[in-house]
Amino acid sequence: MRRMRNVKIVATLGPASDDYDTIRRLFETGVDVFRLNMSHGSHEEIRERHTVIRQIEQELGRPIAILADLQGPKLRVGVFSGDSEELVEGAKFRMDLDEAEGDSSRVRLPHPEIFQALRPGATLLVNDGKIRLRVDKCGEDFADCTVVTGGTISNRKGVNVPDVVLPVAALSPKDIADLDFVCELGVDWVALSFVQRPEDVLHTKELVNGRAAVLSKIEKPSAVECYEDILEVSDGIMVARGDLGVELPVQAVPPIQKRLIRAARAAAKPVIVATQMLESMIESPVPTRAEVSDVANAIYEGADAVMLSAESAAGEYPLEAVRTMNAVAVEVEQGQMYRDIIEAARVVDRTSTADSIVAAAREVAENTGVKAICCFTHSGTTALKTARERPRVPILALTPFTNTARRLCLSWGVNCFMTNGDVSRFKMAVVSAARAARAGQFANAEDNIVVVAGVPFNIPGSTNILRVAPCDERLIFNTDPE
């Protein structure tokens, strides 16, 4: 079941896609990574979806990645005596800790940490930014505001504080419980919401303790400001354009997206572009032209993956959404314009032997008609570095570790294979690579492949050898050293 594209597709599971038949059809249609949204669904429902994915994985004999997306702390107003109020531009409005029901002049904001961080002139955004308040005066238990942009404010609407770093942990008590649950369940990636600083990521990685890879969602202005530091300690990145587009001017999001993607690629870490990619397909069997362009642009920018949220979780056309995303990716990647853009953005700063080996593998493959680059990897680093090169030929990652194979399903162009045979000797490693290339229909017996590995074997980070090898095993046994 070879994909005819390099960019990966992430699909969120939900009420519209939580049965065996739908999940299997989603995978067969093009999904590479399934997202479990911890904001919705009980632990039992999450467990059932996880079980179905692993069953399909076993039946098809192909690694499938599972991403658990943590909810993060939710900042919300209290309730109103009439359920909602209309705020008028220029009016005064107070937020405080008073437990009384709200009215047209005030409402409870049960988050003292916000008041502690606020300063006069700060902005409060309510209901995804539809209502904008300017803080005039504030204390430890209140904020007196002027309504800059009015609208209807109702019970428990979310609050964003875009221009203040809040003393709020990225992990709420619910997140900590969810984190331990999904790690014990056996997910491959954990997406961390509400990241403001690298310390948020480091704390999460301590709790994860190697049981999953940690992906940081960039959705706060403070995260954009210290992005390089967050990227350094993260295993992957999600450009979460929902809250990012609320807390920043919408026109600022596209250039930020490009910068985040390019930096993640330079660091050889996978990056997902998410939120509203095919939003209209929640209710329509066809997308808008603008949505198709949005997906295409993320692919042109070099993203490792594009993501569906409500489109596949709660929409009426989950399969059609995946089919559309797959078709856009195939069309974009077949064009010369795509290669020109991707190769123009290629990183040339190579500081290690492994960097140089994978760069050489790409050049050899592209200049000699080799059909694939086969990487032997324990931790996944060699495959990630090869993916950073964005070669014109497929990347085959061969590993004895199931966890590594699954995590690499998120990375651009990487096709994962489990190595079950004896690859402690280099000759058998080359044979294993040739068999994988033929089995996956990436090459036939008349073709050559490039094999990248580290000798001695079983030592992470030891990539130091490149071999152009035939796919005909008889030739390998006749010519290759032991």
Side-chain angles (χ1 to χ4, degrees), residues 334-445:
Q334 286 178 345
Q336 184 59 42
M337 180 67 71
Y338 173 73
R339 291 309 321 175
D340 292 344
I341 293 172
I342 287 296
E343 292 174 9
R346 180 175 289 139
V347 176
V348 295
D349 183 20
R350 304 182 180 99
T351 58
S352 69
T353 300
D355 291 335
S356 299
I357 288 287
V358 298
R362 173 187 57 76
E363 292 210 13
V364 169
E366 293 177 356
N367 293 327
T368 63
V370 165
K371 295 298 183 180
I373 300 174
C374 302
C375 311
F376 283 86
T377 183
H378 276 58
S379 65
T381 301
T382 303
L384 291 172
K385 287 179 178 289
T386 305
R388 176 175 61 187
E389 293 290 320
R390 300 293 193 262
R392 299 187 183 190
V393 300
I395 303 167
L396 278 58
L398 296 94
T399 179
F401 300 115
T402 304
N403 290 343
T404 298
R406 289 170 174 165
R407 292 176 189 179
L408 286 171
C409 290
L410 183 59
S411 298
W412 185 98
V414 177
N415 302 272
C416 304
F417 292 85
M418 298 298 300
T419 53
N420 299 316
D422 174 21
V423 292
S424 59
R425 295 179 300 144
F426 184 70
K427 178 180 288 187
M428 292 312 300
V430 175
V431 169
S432 180
R435 289 174 178 172
R438 296 199 312 271
Q441 299 181 347
F442 295 94
N444 56 44

Side-chain angles (χ1 to χ4, degrees), residues 251-331:
Q251 66 271 19
V253 175
I256 288 174
Q257 174 176 310
K258 292 180 184 296
R259 178 166 73 84
L260 301 186
I261 291 173
R262 184 162 294 194
R265 178 182 169 189
K269 295 183 178 182
V271 54
I272 304 171
V273 176
T275 315
Q276 296 179 332
M277 300 217 79
L278 295 175
E279 184 85 354
S280 69
M281 293 194 74
I282 296 173
E283 299 176 343
S284 170
V286 295
T288 67
R289 308 310 185 261
E291 289 168 339
V292 170
S293 292
D294 182 43
V295 174
N297 283 333
I299 297 169
Y300 279 122
E301 289 163 6
D304 289 80
V306 286
M307 192 175 99
L308 297 168
S309 297
E311 301 97 326
S312 58
E316 297 180 24
Y317 304 96
L319 290 168
E320 288 81 355
V322 174
R323 194 172 291 116
T324 296
M325 194 166 264
N326 180 78
V328 173
V330 171
E331 184 71 22

